[in-house]
Amino acid sequence: MKHRRITTRRTAVAGGAAAALVIAGITFQSANATDSTEQFSVKALTAPAAGTLALSLKTDLGAAEAGAYYETGTKTLVVNVVSEDAAQTVRAAGAKPRVVENTLAELGAARKALTENATIPGTSWATDPVSNKVIVTADRTVSGAKLTTLQQVVRNLGGKAELKRSAGEFKTFASGGDAIHSGGGRCSLGFNVVKGGEPHFITAGHCGDTGSEWSDSAGGAAIGAMVESQFPGNDFALVKYSGDTPHPSEVNLYNGSAQAITKAGDATVGMPVQRSGSTTQVHDGEVTGLDATVNYGNGDVVEGLIQTSVCAEPGDSGGSLFAGDTAIGLTSGGSGDCSSGGETFFQPVTEALSTFGAEIG
């Protein structure tokens, strides 16, 4: 039987803004943070290069580093610090230092308090380096006593947290690269990978269970079986190809072309990204938060996600989030749609590859 070629797709992330948040960013100045007024030489960097520099400075600065983000307008990496000595190190590296009030340890304690006292379906929280706070989001289903509890917990955290509302409802997008089908359900292929020298692909964990068979058309012959699936907690799964199905390392752009994928990388707030999924195809957007915790309800809580301004809809689950030739994430869930907009969360690809012992290919 001849199988159609499966490629991973690119979805243009909805709601792309001029200032992309990479390790956390747009150019805002919050009430509890100040920019240095000293003159220093700042390097113009691409988003991936800024992410690499941010990780290096995080190692060098230790507890004195409090997050970073990329300003797309100036192509500048901004690094939050809590001391002037740390600021000098940032300047010497060619980035822009910004002295802030809250340390990452303090923001981590705020996140812990939210986990302990406000684990409510329809909520999410992520560390935002631009505001130097933990941004807590409640969707439209959070009301009454639950909303009151959430408001009180955030209030008790003072300047370390801020509460926002979403007009939509947080949910996984199962029902998006190329469409993949199993048992009447549809998701999207994320990225083709290699494990032990054999071809596999990765997708969202909530799409199916270990042992489930997958095809490239509704009711079609199986092209592979899911060998591992993790959800909740994480949201990724690995499917091993069977037969001779083509498995190029690329993402479907739904315009007759494809984007080659050569490597995997980590997200940075402010990073411009694209998403490809089988329902809404390609959309653009930006990374707006990291290490996000999302409560989809029914006990389905996922941690360590990438938060973005990308739109997505049912069927896009598992689809590709990428930046150029770099694989970044797998579509997990969110709120809204590609008509009204919304936010979407992604499972980091690097964590999935590390867990499975696989690599892009």
Side-chain angles (χ1 to χ4, degrees):
M1 173 178 179
K2 184 177 180 180
H3 297 286
R4 75 176 178 81
R5 169 173 166 174
I6 288 200
T7 57
T8 42
R9 340 167 182 163
R10 260 189 169 180
T11 317
V13 186
L21 302 173
V22 176
I23 285 182
I26 300 177
T27 313
F28 296 149
Q29 185 171 346
S30 62
N32 65 346
T34 59
D35 291 316
S36 171
T37 58
E38 293 187 27
Q39 297 297 313
F40 53 91
S41 178
V42 179
K43 296 178 181 177
L45 301 167
T46 63
T52 299
L53 178 57
L55 290 174
S56 175
L57 283 169
K58 184 177 181 67
T59 299
D60 293 341
L61 296 172
E65 189 263 355
Y69 58 94
Y70 183 64
E71 292 181 339
T72 53
T74 59
K75 297 184 178 180
T76 299
L77 175 68
V78 180
V79 181
N80 292 340
V81 294
V82 294
S83 72
E84 183 54 36
D85 286 345
Q88 293 290 0
T89 299
V90 172
R91 293 188 186 97
K96 182 179 179 181
R98 180 169 175 257
V99 179
V100 297
E101 178 180 346
N102 298 319
T103 66
L104 286 182
E106 290 171 329
L107 296 179
R111 293 170 61 96
K112 182 178 180 181
L114 286 160
T115 299
E116 293 175 346
N117 303 308
T119 298
I120 298 168
T123 60
S124 71
W125 48 80
T127 301
D128 173 27
V130 178
S131 63
N132 188 226
K133 296 178 181 180
V134 175
I135 301 300
V136 182
T137 304
D139 73 14
R140 63 179 178 79
T141 69
V142 182
S143 60
K146 291 181 179 179
L147 179 59
T148 299
T149 296
L150 183 63
Q151 290 171 329
Q152 186 59 54
V153 172
V154 172
R155 190 177 302 117
N156 290 343
L157 294 173
K160 298 179 179 63
E162 179 181 345
L163 178 61
K164 296 184 177 182
R165 296 303 305 264
S166 172
E169 179 180 350
F170 291 145
K171 55 188 176 182
T172 56
F173 288 130
S175 157
D178 287 330
I180 50 176
H181 302 259
S182 179
R186 175 171 60 86
C187 276
S188 296
L189 190 152
F191 298 96
N192 285 321
V193 301
V194 175
K195 178 179 180 179
E198 297 184 303
H200 296 68
F201 68 81
I202 52 177
T203 187
H206 71 262
C207 287
D209 298 322
T210 299
S212 58
E213 292 192 329
W214 291 83
S215 68
D216 58 3
S217 61
I223 60 168
M226 193 167 282
V227 295
E228 187 173 348
S229 178
Q230 294 191 19
F231 180 81
N234 293 314
D235 196 1
F236 48 68
L238 180 69
V239 176
K240 183 179 180 180
Y241 280 110
S242 57
D244 58 355
T245 303
H247 47 274
S249 185
E250 61 188 34
V251 170
N252 189 350
L253 299 182
Y254 288 91
N255 61 2
S257 66
Q259 168 66 55
I261 300 296
T262 64
K263 58 185 178 293
D266 295 313
T268 307
V269 172
M271 173 184 281
V273 287
Q274 290 184 294
R275 175 190 63 76
S276 179
S278 61
T279 299
T280 58
Q281 302 183 2
V282 181
H283 288 271
D284 298 322
E286 62 198 29
V287 176
T288 58
L290 300 176
D291 197 21
T293 296
V294 184
N295 190 327
Y296 292 122
N298 300 314
D300 293 337
V301 179
V302 184
E303 300 175 335
L305 298 178
I306 302 164
Q307 184 170 350
T308 74
S309 61
V310 182
C311 73
E313 296 180 10
D316 287 327
S317 280
S320 323
L321 181 73
F322 55 100
D325 66 351
T326 303
I328 300 295
L330 303 168
T331 307
S332 175
S335 69
D337 54 40
C338 290
S339 295
S340 61
E343 54 270 306
T344 303
F345 300 92
F346 296 83
Q347 168 70 53
V349 161
T350 50
E351 182 183 6
L353 295 177
S354 176
T355 299
F356 294 141
E359 60 185 17
I360 292 294

